[in-house]
Amino acid sequence: MTHPDWSDVGDRLQRLTRAPFPTAILGSQLHHWRLEPPLSPADLADLEDQLQVDLPDDYRSFLLQAGRGGAGPAYGLFPVRRINGRWQWEGDGADLTGLDTLSQPFPHVAAFNPAEGLPEPPAPADFTSPEAYEAAEEEYWKHHDAVAFDPEHSIGLLYLSHLGCALRHALVITGPARGHMWSDETADDNGYRPLHSADGTALTFTRWYRDWLDTVAPPKP
């Protein structure tokens, strides 16, 4: 199998640190166009052994060649680090990755919304007092959130980036959509959907990262 070549990434990101107004691009104020050092082959083997997963080949090669996280789409690529002997990803929403269930298959190939089919929230006009309405509304949202944000929906997803407003992108690690990028839009009540390129093909990690890189730091002519 031919692995992606990431040898150009460092130089292209370095160019951005010398560009006028580089902080005008979303997220750059956090990652400053820097990637954290790559993983060693031994570290990557330890990570996969600990989590009982085989990461998709293109993401594996990125971790080994380019970096373990940092500069990337939106607010950056969540870095993976070993903390107190435990490998984990860090960032706003990285904790949505179920480390103990990452090896279990993500079963979906099409967009789905766990909240679809739930009743509409209660309306004040349906209640005889503000107190009754507030109690009913609280109970409704408690049930809604238990359904919409159930961790069972994201088993097999590795969260990699925060887009702001609690919207995030994740990589499918196991299951029929393995190697494809998905969007978690549960914060907007829109559920989960696969990401696609302009021609309609499913986005791999490579295409997802390089589409961003080509936008912010086009290759030299």
Side-chain angles (χ1 to χ4, degrees):
M1 178 177 293
T2 301
H3 298 291
D5 178 10
W6 301 101
S7 59
D8 63 319
V9 174
D11 288 341
R12 290 169 68 175
L13 293 175
Q14 184 63 29
R15 275 196 279 130
L16 286 167
T17 66
R18 303 188 296 269
F21 312 113
T23 58
I25 297 175
L26 175 69
S28 59
Q29 303 95 327
L30 294 181
H31 55 67
H32 303 291
W33 305 114
R34 291 195 293 266
L35 286 170
E36 296 193 14
L39 295 179
S40 69
D43 279 344
L44 181 56
D46 185 51
L47 181 159
E48 292 185 318
D49 181 64
Q50 187 178 96
L51 300 181
Q52 292 296 293
V53 298
D54 293 319
L55 297 175
D57 286 338
D58 57 349
Y59 181 54
R60 292 183 87 256
S61 65
F62 185 92
L63 293 174
L64 290 170
Q65 297 177 32
R68 67 184 65 197
Y75 287 99
L77 191 61
F78 294 157
V80 59
R81 302 184 179 116
R82 184 165 48 194
I83 301 172
N84 297 324
R86 178 70 163 168
W87 287 101
Q88 55 193 284
W89 284 261
E90 292 194 305
D92 188 346
D95 58 344
L96 293 171
T97 296
L99 298 176
D100 295 329
T101 58
L102 196 55
S103 62
Q104 298 179 23
F106 179 70
H108 304 280
V109 294
F112 69 100
N113 188 351
E116 188 174 352
L118 289 176
E120 292 295 316
D126 296 333
F127 297 87
T128 57
S129 71
E131 293 77 15
Y133 166 67
E134 289 172 5
E137 185 183 40
E138 180 179 351
E139 189 61 30
Y140 170 84
W141 286 112
K142 184 185 299 184
H143 174 65
H144 172 279
D145 291 352
V147 172
F149 302 115
D150 189 331
E152 289 286 325
H153 303 312
S154 56
I155 282 175
L157 287 182
L158 171 58
Y159 284 78
L160 289 181
S161 185
H162 178 219
L163 285 69
C165 300
L167 305 176
R168 291 155 181 120
H169 284 173
L171 175 64
V172 181
I173 301 300
T174 45
R178 170 180 162 80
H180 295 160
M181 296 295 301
W182 277 59
S183 181
D184 178 346
E185 300 170 4
T186 51
D188 280 351
D189 228 17
N190 291 325
Y192 301 77
R193 64 179 178 89
L195 296 175
H196 294 91
S197 60
D199 64 3
T201 57
L203 276 187
T204 61
F205 172 82
T206 298
R207 192 70 270 149
W208 174 77
Y209 193 89
R210 285 207 170 273
D211 282 352
W212 169 79
L213 187 63
D214 289 346
T215 299
V216 298
K220 291 181 179 179

